[in-house]
Each structure stands twice: as structure tokens, then as C-alpha cells.
Amino acid sequence: MTIEIIPTGAAAGAEIRGVDLSQDLDDATFAAIEDAYNQRGVIFFRDQTITPPQQVEFSRRFGEIEYNIFSERWSVTGSPEIVVVSNITENGAPIGIKRAGENWHSDMCYTARPPRGTMLHAIEIPDLFGLPLGDTEFASAAAAWDALPDTLRSRIENRHATFDFTGRKRAFPPKQSEIDRNPPVCHPIVRTHPFTGRKCLYVMRDDCTAIEGMEQAEADLLIAALADHIVKPQFIYRHQWRVGDVLMWDNCTVQHRAVQDYDMPQRRLMHRTTMGGSVPV
Ligand code: SIN
């Protein structure tokens, strides 16, 4: 295999060619993939044919599998590590989590040790007249930090925010037991990437509910201003899916949202795995 890494031209993202994820990857190939992932925040491989166990095995090379609230409700039969993300209903019941991640966010930021990253394998992609729908957008929180004026950088560096599981409106409201298992946590609003050392803004509307040592009214304004800044067009890569794509993002470098511009009979089916991370610093 000759691996090729092709940056998207946007602030994040690279396509990786010359890799067949159904085969064992040697250490040098994996190291090149991992480096592209760390540097670009989003990487994707087209035309992959992988089984659920192969997706789990590849995910595990980046970190232990992380289970979230959806794993308990919608996982792939025989592969509990994989969550089904889908709008498809079979026999009157949804086969997966519908409308997952339609607001800008970084996965499981409400936990003490948020995941390193998340991987999606595209099984079915909706379209209209052959035009793909259901894209996913990624915003580089690293490029957003780089673009801040020095005065604002020094004002927010070393600040911490409260991240509250109940702050965000979810497609499926969590159960009380899930709320009890996820009490509010505190994280820096400027994170240092654990592998590249790059600084990344870590602020989301709704998930961040307060900033330590700041009046609530000022904190609300600052959270909104930073959340809006991160998702400016110059920091965005928009991924247009094809069946067979395997794409993974880094939850420190980028935030993401799923574009909900389709509905049945347009079917979307993704297999998602989540890789464990480290405590944000
Ligand atoms: C997610 O936020 O995990 C879902 C993203 C997508 O389905 O495009």
C-alpha cells in the first residue's frame, strides 16, 4: 500500500488514500494515519468495505472504546461497541439514534474525560435527485483559537467553564439515571491538544453553562461570542458523504454538527465508534 494524505483545503480535514481498512495495517502506515488525524482533526477514507469487528479493531488502535448513553439503546447486534446512527424505522421501532448531533458540539464534553475522537462508517446516505444529503460539518477550534486577538486570548486562557449534561436539548431526552451519572464537570475553555500541543477553544453553546470567577451575564455573552466565532465559515470543513466512507474526527481539534436536511424515505445509516481520551488540560 502507498499511503497518500490529501488535505481538504479547508481549515480541517484530509482524505487518506491507498489504505484498505479491512486489512491489517503495519505500524508505519498506522503512524502516518495517526499523525494526519492529529494534525488535520478530521480524516476520511473512501470506498471502504469493513465489518463491524474490523471497525472496532481499527478504532481500538486510537484508544479504548468509549460507551455513551446511546450504546445502551442502539448498538449493532454482536458488536456492542458500535452505536447505530440512523433515521430508519423497522417494524415500527427506530433502529438507531435519530437526529444525533444536530447542534454544534464536541462529543461527551460533559464528562470528566471526554473521548479522543469518534468514527463513522457510512452504510446508507440519503440523496435527492442524486444529490447527497445529510452532510456533517466540522469547525476547527484550533484555527479559531489562532485567529483570536491577543487581548481576548489573554482574557480567556486559564479560564474554566462548567459543562452540564442537561444544558443541551437532545433528540432523545436522557433518563434521570443518566443525568445522575453525569454531574456537571469543569474543563479549561482553551485546551492544549495532547499530541500536537496546539491550543484549541473548548466552548459550546448550551453545554457550557458558566465560567468560573465570572458574573453569569458576562459568562453567557462570552460563551455565545466564542461559540459563534468557532463556527465561522473560514474554520469549517463540510463533509459530503459517500457510501463506504470511514471518517473520524478529533474532539479536541474540531467541533461538529450533522446537517438534518433529509427525512424518510431518504435513509441514512451510520455505524459509530468512540475512542477514549484524556482529561482536558
Ligand atoms: C454525531 O454527532 O455523532 C453524529 C454526526 C453525524 O451523524 O453526522
Side-chain angles (χ1 to χ4, degrees), residues 157-169:
E157 221 176 344
N158 304 318
R159 291 250 182 209
H160 288 71
T162 303
F163 289 70
D164 192 331
F165 178 59
T166 61
R168 195 193 322 162
K169 191 167 161 283

Side-chain angles (χ1 to χ4, degrees), residues 190-211:
V190 182
R191 285 182 66 173
T192 303
H193 192 279
F195 296 95
T196 64
R198 212 172 158 189
K199 290 213 159 81
C200 305
L201 284 172
Y202 199 60
V203 178
M204 305 96 201
R205 206 184 278 282
D206 300 330
D207 289 313
C208 292
T209 54
I211 296 182

Side-chain angles (χ1 to χ4, degrees), residues 68 70 85-86 97 99-103 105-107 118-120 134-138 168 239 241 247 249 251 256-260 262 268-270 272-274:
N68 69 12
F70 304 124
V85 176
S86 185
I97 167 77
R99 302 188 77 92
E102 62 184 311
N103 299 317
H105 66 286
S106 176
D107 290 330
T118 307
M119 185 184 299
L120 288 180
D135 296 355
T136 307
E137 289 191 298
F138 299 92
R168 195 193 322 162
H239 187 74
W241 293 94
L247 177 147
W249 62 85
N251 279 307
H256 64 283
R257 73 164 168 187
V259 177
Q260 297 289 337
Y262 61 94
R268 189 173 189 268
L269 173 59
M270 301 280 190
R272 179 169 73 191
T273 39
T274 305

Side-chain angles (χ1 to χ4, degrees), residues 21-43:
L21 296 178
S22 70
Q23 304 297 313
D24 284 342
L25 299 178
D26 60 59
D27 287 345
T29 303
F30 179 73
I33 292 171
E34 189 176 34
D35 185 57
Y37 175 57
N38 287 334
Q39 299 298 333
R40 299 296 302 160
V42 180
I43 54 171

Side-chain angles (χ1 to χ4, degrees), residues 43-55:
I43 54 171
F44 58 92
F45 309 79
R46 301 281 194 192
D47 304 317
Q48 300 294 318
T49 308
I50 53 167
T51 61
Q54 285 167 340
Q55 179 172 349

